[in-house]
Amino acid sequence: MQQDWQPSCSLELLRLRAELLHDIRRFFHGRSVLEVETPLLGDCTGTDPQLAFFSTEFCRTPLQQRLFLQTSPEFAMKRLLAAGSGSIYQICKAFRNGESGRFHNPEFTLLEWYRVGFTLPQLMDEIEALFAGLFNGYGLQAARRMSYQAVFQQHTGLDPLQFCHQDYCAYAVANGLPEAVGLCTDNHLLWLDFIFSHKVQPLLGDNALCMVYGYPACQSSLARISADNPDTVDRLELFINGIELGNGFYELTDADEQDRRFTKEIQVRQEQSLAPVFKDQRLLAALAAGLPDCSGIAIGLDRLLMVLGHAKAISETLSFSIDRA
Amino acid sequence: MAVYSTNEFRAGLKVMLDNDPCAIIENEFVKPGKGQAFNRVKIRNLKTGRVIERTFKSGESLDGADVVDVEMQFLYNDGEFRHFMVQDTFEQYQADPKIVGDAALWLKDQDFCFVTLWNDAPLAVTPGNFVELEIVETDPGVRGDTSGGGGKPAKLVTGAVVRVPLFVQTGEVIKVDTRTGEYISRVKE
């Protein structure tokens, strides 16, 4: 008899998820943020070399069209914003190929929202308010806001904005990570990912929401360059108990700059022999038509449930994790 | 030999790392939402027994190691080597004390154990989880004391010393858990 017909999560977590979804919808309803749905299956996908996608064939006789399961609803939501939707939110599935582990399931649930006219600090205020409600009765400590440079320096003594290869190597060797030297070579971005995920992130947000902002410009993704420091971007990440919960931006609205970042990422994909993707021309057209100034963030709800439900692995929060889906 | 990528690293998989055969203990996928994916892997070096942690870029690979655990009978100790035999094939292997290690303290002639072979040469010896061995030396206990409390050291025929209850006497055979070195029970002959 097969035993894996049963859910991966407890019925208690199933109920906790239902409650979480209800609380989130009530929060945004109270603030007049519009709930939307965008396609999970689309003609284009992101160019980020770090994200692997699932694709499928749409049989539309006599043609076959390749479609992508979305790695994030970001592009479609930005097109709604450019069309004048005003502030919007969405709770949806996102798909990332090859991601599986204690904190990853290739299919997962995102809460993504965009606030028209909000700067990053204003968005942080709203995140704090949302978390205060969701964690009511949980005993979470007061939220903290720290710059990437400050947390990095605090936990490693290294400056993340000034790449000194020798210092980084010496740090890795002295801290039990000698393999970093060969693995990261002279790639500043790789060094930051390596040291941050091994030595900084695990210490962030001890029973508290930790909001890290001001990421190094080499980790810009879809964020704007900070007005007060061109070496950093207006990007935000959320952590509780060392778990990465969300990633937000003061959104890039410049179509030409977006086009350049697409070109650069496509080039990196080619260099690394990754599956080719094309620029999402509809997103570029929407940006050219005018994306209102806005801030947005995506939060992984399964991981949030891990924290709320004291789960050790993401599978404990999912009805059926990928191994029994 | 097969090549294994980080996403195939499972507990128990045997791979070559720094020219030594190793067993994967744990493999954690570490990936920032926007950033490079890593695998943080806990590995046991099968030659030294040491456990280390090592990070790989996801997608990197290691060569598999030709390592197998084979059940064998311990035949005898010639003073320099201990000799083992595979029951079905009568194939024999010899291992020096460095390889046999502490397992020697649990092995008596004719007992079965596991010999780890790397490229068909012994790499390590693991005794069965439970062994039955005779006590060759222990203080005479107080008659009538059947409690488990307290206990006393007892030297076994193989040289191991375990704590036994006071009522257990020299010449008796006892069952011992080799993983913890703990006395389990007396064995009636």
Side-chain angles (χ1 to χ4, degrees):
Chain A
M1 231 4 187
Q2 266 195 301
Q3 287 302 307
D4 60 3
W5 63 269
Q6 289 188 316
S8 334
C9 71
S10 64
L11 296 178
E12 191 194 339
L13 257 296
L14 206 62
R15 285 185 206 107
L16 194 61
R17 177 180 290 265
E19 225 169 277
L20 175 69
L21 295 178
H22 178 76
D23 289 349
I24 291 170
R25 290 201 159 97
R26 199 176 46 192
F27 177 84
F28 286 111
H29 182 76
R31 292 177 174 234
S32 303
V33 180
L34 186 69
E35 177 165 13
V36 297
E37 283 187 358
T38 57
L40 294 183
L41 208 51
D43 180 48
C44 272
T45 188
T47 53
D48 187 340
Q50 309 294 359
L51 294 184
F53 52 77
F54 289 93
S55 66
T56 187
E57 299 297 325
F58 174 32
C59 303
R60 189 168 54 174
T61 320
L63 297 171
Q64 280 227 333
Q65 188 187 358
R66 188 179 196 207
L67 295 178
F68 299 90
L69 280 170
Q70 297 303 293
T71 53
S72 135
E74 179 154 7
F75 293 177
M77 289 182 83
K78 284 183 174 169
R79 283 162 60 192
L80 291 179
L81 290 162
S85 66
S87 296
I88 50 176
Y89 81 98
Q90 166 159 229
I91 296 171
C92 67
K93 289 295 186 81
F95 301 84
R96 294 179 186 180
N97 211 338
E99 299 193 1
S100 175
R102 203 147 72 81
F103 297 101
H104 297 81
N105 196 65
E107 172 183 347
F108 61 101
T109 304
L110 274 182
L111 160 65
E112 181 145 334
W113 83 93
Y114 292 87
R115 282 300 225 148
V116 174
F118 272 35
T119 59
L120 219 42
Q122 286 174 297
L123 185 67
M124 285 194 251
D125 292 341
E126 187 159 82
I127 294 164
E128 245 187 275
L130 173 66
F131 274 65
L134 299 180
F135 281 83
N136 187 20
Y138 182 94
L140 205 63
Q141 307 279 316
R144 295 187 64 188
R145 301 179 187 194
M146 283 179 287
S147 78
Y148 186 97
Q149 189 179 26
V151 286
F152 204 92
Q153 242 156 5
Q154 182 193 333
H155 294 295
T156 67
L158 297 169
D159 184 351
L161 303 183
Q162 298 295 325
F163 180 50
C164 174
H165 184 239
Q166 210 178 337
D167 287 356
Y168 279 44
C169 288
Y171 172 82
V173 170
N175 286 277
L177 298 169
E179 65 269 36
V181 177
L183 198 150
C184 302
T185 61
D186 60 354
N187 185 333
H188 185 201
L189 181 55
L190 201 49
W191 271 107
L192 292 180
D193 278 343
F194 193 106
I195 295 177
F196 192 87
S197 41
H198 285 76
K199 291 291 179 186
V200 182
Q201 187 185 321
L203 305 170
L204 295 180
D206 184 11
N207 194 38
L209 173 64
C210 176
M211 298 194 263
V212 179
Y213 62 88
Y215 273 66
C218 58
Q219 297 184 315
S220 61
S221 197
L222 299 160
R224 280 196 217 199
I225 299 290
S226 306
D228 52 347
N229 182 355
D231 291 336
T232 65
V233 289
D234 286 329
R235 178 179 157 195
L236 165 72
E237 289 241 14
L238 310 182
F239 303 91
I240 296 180
N241 295 338
I243 301 175
E244 181 193 2
L245 291 176
N247 178 63
F249 306 120
Y250 185 37
E251 302 291 345
L252 185 65
T253 52
D254 181 339
D256 294 333
E257 173 63 17
Q258 181 68 65
D259 198 359
R260 279 193 291 276
R261 291 192 193 178
F262 275 162
T263 305
K264 209 172 145 191
E265 289 189 334
I266 285 172
Q267 198 186 333
V268 172
R269 292 190 79 94
Q270 277 167 351
E271 285 163 13
Q272 299 179 357
S273 316
L274 297 170
V277 294
F278 302 99
K279 295 177 189 176
D280 188 335
Q281 295 297 345
R282 291 182 178 121
L283 174 70
L284 290 174
L287 295 183
L291 180 70
D293 281 338
C294 63
S295 291
I297 185 158
I299 292 177
L301 291 189
D302 313 300
R303 290 204 194 148
L304 190 58
L305 272 166
M306 280 179 73
V307 179
L308 282 166
H310 305 284
K312 291 268 176 290
I314 197 167
S315 58
E316 293 171 31
T317 73
L318 302 167
S319 60
F320 301 102
S321 56
I322 192 67
D323 54 321
R324 56 181 69 187
Chain B
M1 203 67 208
V3 172
Y4 298 98
S5 158
T6 49
N7 59 18
E8 297 171 285
F9 288 5
R10 303 262 184 280
L13 183 73
K14 313 289 198 301
V15 292
M16 294 299 296
L17 182 66
D18 304 334
N19 300 317
D20 276 351
C22 295
I24 306 269
I25 299 172
E26 218 175 81
N27 175 16
E28 180 133 305
F29 182 65
V30 178
K31 185 183 187 306
K34 314 265 174 194
Q36 173 68 44
F38 301 106
N39 288 71
R40 185 88 178 135
V41 185
K42 222 185 240 180
I43 305 175
R44 172 175 285 112
N45 183 316
L46 294 173
K47 263 171 127 175
T48 63
R50 271 189 60 206
V51 174
I52 58 158
E53 282 197 87
R54 179 76 76 92
T55 296
F56 298 88
K57 242 193 212 175
S58 292
E60 273 190 281
S61 54
L62 290 175
D63 288 331
D66 181 10
V67 172
V68 282
D69 291 326
V70 183
E71 190 178 25
M72 294 191 201
Q73 191 173 29
F74 170 49
L75 298 179
Y76 63 98
N77 177 6
D78 70 7
E80 191 180 353
F81 294 103
R82 280 181 168 75
H83 296 259
F84 301 86
M85 183 180 76
V86 183
Q87 193 76 349
D88 318 336
T89 61
F90 306 109
E91 214 172 336
Q92 292 191 24
Y93 293 88
Q94 59 177 31
D96 66 31
K98 234 174 63 199
I99 281 166
V100 180
D102 285 347
L105 293 172
W106 302 115
L107 284 179
K108 81 172 189 300
D109 298 1
Q110 318 307 320
D111 270 359
F112 285 93
C113 59
F114 288 96
V115 177
T116 306
L117 297 175
W118 174 38
N119 296 332
D120 209 36
L123 184 67
V125 177
T126 314
N129 290 343
F130 299 100
V131 292
E132 293 178 358
L133 297 167
E134 188 191 336
I135 295 174
V136 292
E137 197 186 317
T138 187
D139 288 342
V142 185
R143 257 196 120 67
D145 182 355
T146 54
S147 75
K152 58 181 180 177
K155 191 172 179 190
L156 306 181
V157 64
T158 51
V161 176
V162 295
R163 284 200 81 76
V164 299
L166 297 175
F167 59 81
V168 179
Q169 304 295 339
T170 301
E172 286 190 286
V173 175
I174 60 166
K175 185 175 175 184
V176 182
D177 187 331
T178 60
R179 294 161 296 183
T180 58
E182 275 172 16
Y183 164 90
I184 302 294
S185 65
R186 283 195 285 186
V187 179
K188 298 266 187 295
E189 300 248 7

